[in-house]
Amino acid sequence: MKDGVELTREETFKYRFKKDGRKHYLIINEATKEDTGRYKIMTNGGESEAEISVEEKQLEVLQDMADLTVKASEQAVFKCEVSDEKVTGRWFRNGVEVRPSKRIHISHNGRFHKLVIDDVRPEDEGDYTFVPDGYALSLSAKLNFLEIKVEYVPKQEPPKIHLDCSGKSSENTIVVVAGNKLRLDVPISGEPAPTVLWMKGDQPFTEREGRAHVEERKELSSFVIESAERADEARYSITVTNPVGEDSATLFIKVVDVPDPPEAVRITSVGEDWAVLTWEPPKYDGGQPVTGYLMERKKKGSMRWMKLNFEVYTDTTYESTKMIEGVLYEMRVFAVNSIGISQPSHNTQPFMPIAPTSEPTHLVLEDVTDTTATLKWRPPERVGAGGIDGYLVEYCREGCEWGAPQPHPHPRP
């Protein structure tokens, strides 16, 4: 019972009942001041009573606020720390609640409460107070505005390029893939505002529009290439100058690209179902080493190319197999580097895999005169798909080397 009213199990979120042997417990979750009262337990073996008094938790100040003296345009920060991180509160200036704005920021992070005033003005001066909600407690500090009269003196400052590569002896390399955009923003300081000169190699670069151009803004000079090309690869320098000095920086823009196609692609020999393809590396590797080659072939007249390899091939001679004898083919080669694959090479001249005929058979000397010898033979047993165009005949004196072939004017076996 509480104050004569029975506590029921319906309020399970507030009260819990527990029995442990002969001991009986009443557990009150998250006690509040409303739980103050007289509690009584009644059993068939007797009863017992007790008073509960709930007191308000005290709030401790772990860090008090400090008075501030701030000059115009500076930032003022009031900060305090209390013992309970759940406590909320409000800020007052001269008794009037402070509202957040573009200049005034109020924050609560755990036990810390902070009031920040940017770009302090004379009207910000006054007594500032933090009042925690629900406690008869407040923390106060003063903001004093310090007005400083300064005579205007024209400022002079040597120009400065704010880049890692600034300084006459430094050089930095920037790598850009052909076709990509490059934008190099160069922060610049100096009073009076310095003049800026860009150089490409030994020539001033003054373009203000187009694919490659320079953009000028306050304290920033930008070099822009909309779509990098090989011709953009060069050493660039920027020099900034004003009456009290100068600064410069040099950088090298390297344009990397896919390689040029392989050169001198040709067929060096053919067989019944194979052919040997050879080529020369490209003259320009794209600025990155060529890692290998890809080959393709097709039947002459067809539009469908067939890949001959999927892993890059590092040699410059390749034997293509599994072709059909008597069919005309063409082949081409691509070069590969870390940027990508080149355009295809020129196609080879059309070629036809053909097995050579076997030798002529049954060669006999049929007749001899003072100035002639008549030979007879039979065609080869194996004739390739190319057929037989004719025969070549050689002769030599006994004990000498065979002479040059002598085409028979009318080859008749």
Side-chain angles (χ1 to χ4, degrees), residues 34-53:
E34 286 72 30
D35 293 316
T36 299
R38 190 161 190 82
Y39 291 79
K40 182 176 182 179
I41 181 169
M42 302 174 65
T43 76
N44 56 6
E47 57 186 56
S48 178
E49 292 186 55
E51 288 277 351
I52 291 182
S53 177

Side-chain angles (χ1 to χ4, degrees), residues 262-270 275-280 295-301 305 308 318 320 323 328-334 344-353:
E263 308 247 335
V265 180
R266 61 203 183 277
I267 300 297
T268 56
S269 57
V270 294
V276 174
L277 175 69
T278 189
W279 62 89
E280 302 293 333
M295 289 77 71
E296 293 182 345
R297 80 176 181 220
K298 73 177 181 71
K299 295 176 183 177
K300 181 171 171 53
W305 287 94
L308 298 179
Y318 178 80
S320 177
M323 288 185 280
L328 279 172
Y329 288 91
E330 294 173 290
M331 296 179 71
R332 65 184 184 182
V333 186
F334 301 79
S345 69
H346 291 303
N347 297 354
T348 63
Q349 291 293 326
F351 65 93
M352 180 186 295

Side-chain angles (χ1 to χ4, degrees), residues 334-347:
F334 301 79
V336 181
N337 67 4
S338 60
I339 305 302
I341 303 172
S342 73
Q343 290 292 310
S345 69
H346 291 303
N347 297 354

Side-chain angles (χ1 to χ4, degrees), residues 1 24 47 72-73 86 91 94 117 128 131 135 140 161-162 183 205 207 214 227 229 234 326-327 359 362 408:
M1 317 269 291
H24 292 262
E47 57 186 56
S73 300
K86 294 182 180 178
W91 290 87
N94 296 339
I117 304 172
Y128 286 81
V131 179
Y135 294 92
S140 295
I161 295 171
H162 299 276
R183 183 184 187 91
F205 188 88
E207 301 293 331
V214 173
S227 178
E229 298 177 356
V327 173
E359 69 278 5
H362 303 290
H408 195 286

Side-chain angles (χ1 to χ4, degrees), residues 152-172:
Y152 176 72
V153 178
K155 184 180 177 184
Q156 285 198 320
E157 179 188 337
K160 177 72 175 167
I161 295 171
H162 299 276
L163 278 181
D164 292 341
C165 60
S166 61
K168 287 185 168 58
S169 61
S170 291
E171 184 171 310
N172 221 5

